[in-house]
Amino acid sequence: MRGLRTVLGVGAVAICLGLCGGGVQRAAAEAPSATAWWSALGAPGGQVPAPPDVQSGDLLVEGVGGQLSPPAAPQPPVPPPAPVPAPPAPPAPPAPPPPTAPLPAPPVSAGGAPPGALAVAALSFPVADGAQVGTLTLAIGGLKPPAVGIIACPVTAGFRPVENGPLTDVPPFDCSTHDTAILAADGSSISFAHLGAMVRAGSLRVVLLPGAADRVVLTRPGPAALAVIPAPPAPPDDIAPVPPPAPAPAPEPPPVTAPVTAPVTAAPPAVPRRHHRAAPQASAVPPAPGPLRTAPRVILVATLAAIAAAALVLGRPATTAGSRGFHRFARERTGPAPRV
């Protein structure tokens, strides 16, 4: 059971890292697309050889207090003198030199090196749309300086790659926005951490100006010289944000109709009132009998008399057989009886 729980936990962590890792932008690196350096002993097209300690692809940045040529080779050691009974105490170690200060560079230069500079370098990097520029790190070759006063300023015009060109070919620059180099603790490199504001038109082009006592040889910048955070990828089509629905059209106002007024008709003429006499109420006394009211009684009496006469006749005995008629109207039958 414990092993199953461990496997499930590791699987859940792996799934979470896989799902969450897609939203993290990993920092990339960029190599310079062009480099150049110019010196007081340079010539157009770099026809003058570089100093011995500057290799092909390296950059040289030097101030007026530095040495334009590399230091002389050390002399062979001199054998120590014979020991003496009481040797003097060793001298105290020399104090470290104070940090060098950058040269007073003009805020805006139309071209050429600033006063006091004996060697100036420049670099150009492409920057994609939406990408963020990180730290520029340049390794130091040869002697490690105890301090540096190099500053980076944005270049306002393009430049051609060259090695040991003349100082008059230094491109224009604007030092109103600049960044000061930071020397590594072991003296092996310098870095510039605030170059994002110097990006112009999809590229980062900077010129490196020396301090008063600087002489720094920068080795050929590699593909990891400039840290760049790429722009976030566009979301896929299946999770693209749904556009908001179009606003419903405003309801049309109801048509304005003129109020309907009832036609004015003339009132009918007044009808004068007529006074009707009240109908006389029927009297409870029946009217006197007249000839029309006595006729039904006469008919009734005649009908009752006829019924009584018929009853009287039918109540007498019938006549003998062979006679004709009734009672006093009866007579003897002569001949055969009629067929019924």
Side-chain angles (χ1 to χ4, degrees), residues 102-103 105 149-153 175 178-181 192 207-211 214:
L103 292 173
I150 300 175
I151 63 173
C153 300
C175 283
H178 65 274
D179 190 16
T180 304
F192 300 89
V207 62
L208 304 182
L209 304 179
D214 284 333

Side-chain angles (χ1 to χ4, degrees), residues 103-224:
L103 292 173
V108 179
S109 172
L118 298 181
V120 177
L123 302 94
S124 177
F125 297 86
V127 179
D129 293 340
Q132 299 180 6
V133 174
T135 302
L136 172 62
T137 304
L138 302 173
I140 296 177
L143 297 176
K144 304 299 187 289
V148 294
I150 300 175
I151 63 173
C153 300
V155 174
T156 58
F159 62 89
R160 295 181 179 180
V162 67
E163 294 184 3
N164 200 15
L167 290 177
T168 55
D169 291 347
V170 174
F173 56 86
D174 184 1
C175 283
S176 58
T177 300
H178 65 274
D179 190 16
T180 304
I182 300 176
L183 181 65
D186 57 356
S188 62
S189 64
I190 60 174
S191 60
F192 300 89
H194 304 90
L195 302 179
M198 304 182 190
V199 177
R200 302 284 191 278
S203 64
L204 173 65
R205 295 177 295 185
V206 294
V207 62
L208 304 182
L209 304 179
D214 284 333
R215 187 184 188 278
V216 180
V217 177
L218 303 174
T219 59
R220 178 193 296 267

Side-chain angles (χ1 to χ4, degrees), residues 48-94:
V48 177
D53 59 340
V54 181
Q55 304 298 322
S56 176
D58 293 350
L59 303 174
L60 178 62
V61 181
E62 185 176 6
V64 69
Q67 296 179 354
L68 189 60
S69 60
Q75 300 295 329
V78 178
V84 293

